[in-house]
């Protein structure tokens, strides 16, 4: 083995967000400065992963709840958009680059996860093609900048898991979620609506299409707030809402359920909801974004 450190480049910088460190820093600062920290310290957050011009201000509501003074390990669970994956996958590199500073992967935790036999490795190509984890790296770097040499990340690419697999991974991650020095970042956009997403559920009683979409999303969000993985699965089966991070969310909900059995008291609140545009006719399309935080009481 050579001593060369393996890096994942910030492959979406320059397209999904600016590649300029100073400019990115100013943008993130701007969004964060407009938000209150009411749910700090968050033990887990759900936040979107679209281009920052669309969802940067929404994501700030989640990242403002991160407390860099207590957080030492950040698990980032993102859905796989490009490769079929029935389990979860770990990165094959040591560093993730961002225009702000590099983030180090926690090799000790990676070793523990690898030993379970439940994970596969993603190639560098798969890693760099995927945006669901990368879009959280600049925000993570920004939220943690006051303690930037004191934390590591644990990126996990989550496949199209069955309900029983979501339970298994939830159980596995629950012991890490129980530790107050760990933070879970769950990467998900909400409804992808329109012909290009092949999804056009519309409840006319809600009024305009965009109001129907909001009603559908908020139904799902309130089920997530109830911390009930079974109800969330049932909701997805009934409405087929195109929530791309449904499996990472399912893993988180199952981890929470596991900890609640042991008497841990937690609550989840959504803090912001937004849509990329307002759909009014069948030719329109939009993606919804939501940001929320899990508190342990």
């Amino acid at each position: 083995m050579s001593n060369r450190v393996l890096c994942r480049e910030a492959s979406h910088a320059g397209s999904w967000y600016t590649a300029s460190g100073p400019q990115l820093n100013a943008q993130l600062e701007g969004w964060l400065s407009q938000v209150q920290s009411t749910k700090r310290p968050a033990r887990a957050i759900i936040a979107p992963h679209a281009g920052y011009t669309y969802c940067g201000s929404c994501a700030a509501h989640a990242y403002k709840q991160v407390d860099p003074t207590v957080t030492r390990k950040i698990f980032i669970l993102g859905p796989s958009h490009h490769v079929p994956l029935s389990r979860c996958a770990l990165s094959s590199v040591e560093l993730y680059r961002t225009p702000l500073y590099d983030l180090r992967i926690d090799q000790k935790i990676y070793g523990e996860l690898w030993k379970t036999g439940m994970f596969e490795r993603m190639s560098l190509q798969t890693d760099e093609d995927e945006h669901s984890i990368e879009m959280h790296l600049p925000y993570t770097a920004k939220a943690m900048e006051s303690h930037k040499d004191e934390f590591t990340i644990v990126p996990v690419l989550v496949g199209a898991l069955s309900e029983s697999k979501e339970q298994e991974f939830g159980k596995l991650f629950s012991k890490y979620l129980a530790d107050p020095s760990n933070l879970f970042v769950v990467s998900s956009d909400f409804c992808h609506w329109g012909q290009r997403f092949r999804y056009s559920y519309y409840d006319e009683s809600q009024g305009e299409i965009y109001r129907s979409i909001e009603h559908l999303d908020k139904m799902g969000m309130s089920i997530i707030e109830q911390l009930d993985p079974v109800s969330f699965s049932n909701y997805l089966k009934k409405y087929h809402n195109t929530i791309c991070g449904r499996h990472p969310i399912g893993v988180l909900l199952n981890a929470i359920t596991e900890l609640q059995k042991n008497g841990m008291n937690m609550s989840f609140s959504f803090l912001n909801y937004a849509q990329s545009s307002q759909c009014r006719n069948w030719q329109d399309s939009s993606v919804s974004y939501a940001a929320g935080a899990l508190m342990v009481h």
Side-chain angles (χ1 to χ4, degrees):
M1 282 295 287
S2 73
N3 293 332
R4 207 165 57 84
V5 173
L6 285 171
C7 288
R8 177 199 186 280
E9 293 303 327
S11 49
H12 293 73
S15 52
W16 291 53
Y17 58 97
T18 175
S20 151
Q23 210 181 337
L24 181 59
N25 188 53
Q27 278 179 348
L28 296 173
E29 221 148 68
W31 288 318
L32 288 164
S33 69
Q34 290 164 19
V35 179
Q36 301 297 305
S37 57
T38 52
K39 303 287 173 193
R40 228 172 153 175
R43 186 70 58 90
I45 60 174
I46 293 176
H49 55 235
Y52 282 177
T53 46
Y54 296 106
C55 74
S57 62
C58 174
H61 289 263
Y63 277 94
K64 188 75 171 200
Q65 317 311 322
V66 174
D67 185 347
T69 63
V70 298
T71 305
R72 290 298 166 261
K73 291 178 176 59
I74 300 177
F75 291 72
I76 307 171
L77 274 52
S80 174
H81 286 84
H82 303 290
V83 295
L85 189 61
S86 61
R87 300 192 295 169
C88 291
L90 304 176
S91 177
S92 45
V93 304
E94 292 162 44
L95 284 183
Y96 272 10
R97 290 250 144 92
T98 85
L100 302 177
Y101 58 90
D102 295 345
L103 305 180
R104 211 162 26 106
I105 292 182
D106 195 304
Q107 296 303 327
K108 180 177 173 290
I109 303 251
Y110 254 26
E112 292 170 12
L113 296 177
W114 189 246
K115 273 213 287 259
T116 63
M118 291 165 67
F119 293 83
E120 48 199 88
R121 289 269 176 213
M122 51 174 145
S123 67
L124 183 59
Q125 182 73 55
T126 295
D127 207 345
E128 290 186 345
D129 285 349
E130 182 55 65
H131 63 275
S132 72
I133 293 173
E134 181 181 341
M135 295 311 292
H136 289 280
L137 304 176
Y139 251 123
T140 296
K142 182 63 186 164
M144 293 299 295
E145 69 183 343
S146 60
H147 290 70
K148 69 176 184 191
D149 300 321
E150 299 167 38
F151 78 98
T152 49
I153 60 167
V154 184
V156 177
L157 191 63
V158 179
L161 306 179
S162 63
E163 280 176 66
S164 61
K165 281 251 165 55
E166 284 181 6
Q167 261 179 339
E168 280 173 43
F169 280 104
K171 271 199 178 117
L172 171 65
F173 284 119
S174 65
K175 70 168 191 196
Y176 298 104
L177 185 63
D179 182 339
S181 68
N182 293 340
L183 168 75
F184 275 73
V185 172
V186 172
S187 176
S188 185
D189 296 339
F190 274 70
C191 185
H192 298 60
W193 194 94
Q195 287 163 356
R196 70 194 183 99
F197 300 118
R198 299 194 290 279
Y199 184 76
S200 53
Y201 171 86
Y202 177 36
D203 174 0
E204 287 174 22
S205 72
Q206 297 303 318
E208 299 257 28
I209 292 172
Y210 71 90
R211 293 206 182 279
S212 161
I213 295 170
E214 177 168 355
H215 182 256
L216 175 71
D217 278 330
K218 291 200 165 163
M219 218 187 312
M221 288 156 65
S222 90
I223 290 169
I224 293 168
E225 289 181 334
Q226 291 157 25
L227 303 178
D228 181 351
V230 176
S231 299
F232 186 59
S233 289
N234 291 340
Y235 159 84
L236 292 169
K237 282 177 200 152
K238 181 171 180 183
Y239 296 102
H240 303 285
N241 191 0
T242 41
I243 300 172
C244 54
R246 57 191 173 274
H247 298 298
I249 292 170
V251 170
L252 176 68
L253 292 176
N254 278 289
I256 291 167
T257 301
E258 199 57 33
L259 294 181
Q260 284 174 327
K261 286 181 198 163
N262 305 330
M264 261 178 97
N265 181 18
M266 288 170 276
S267 65
F268 190 93
S269 324
F270 278 101
L271 305 162
N272 188 254
Y273 174 78
Q275 293 176 350
S276 60
S277 59
Q278 293 191 334
C279 293
R280 291 187 158 84
N281 62 57
W282 296 105
Q283 281 66 53
D284 293 342
S285 64
S286 74
V287 180
S288 311
Y289 312 116
L294 178 76
M295 299 274 298
V296 176
H297 303 287

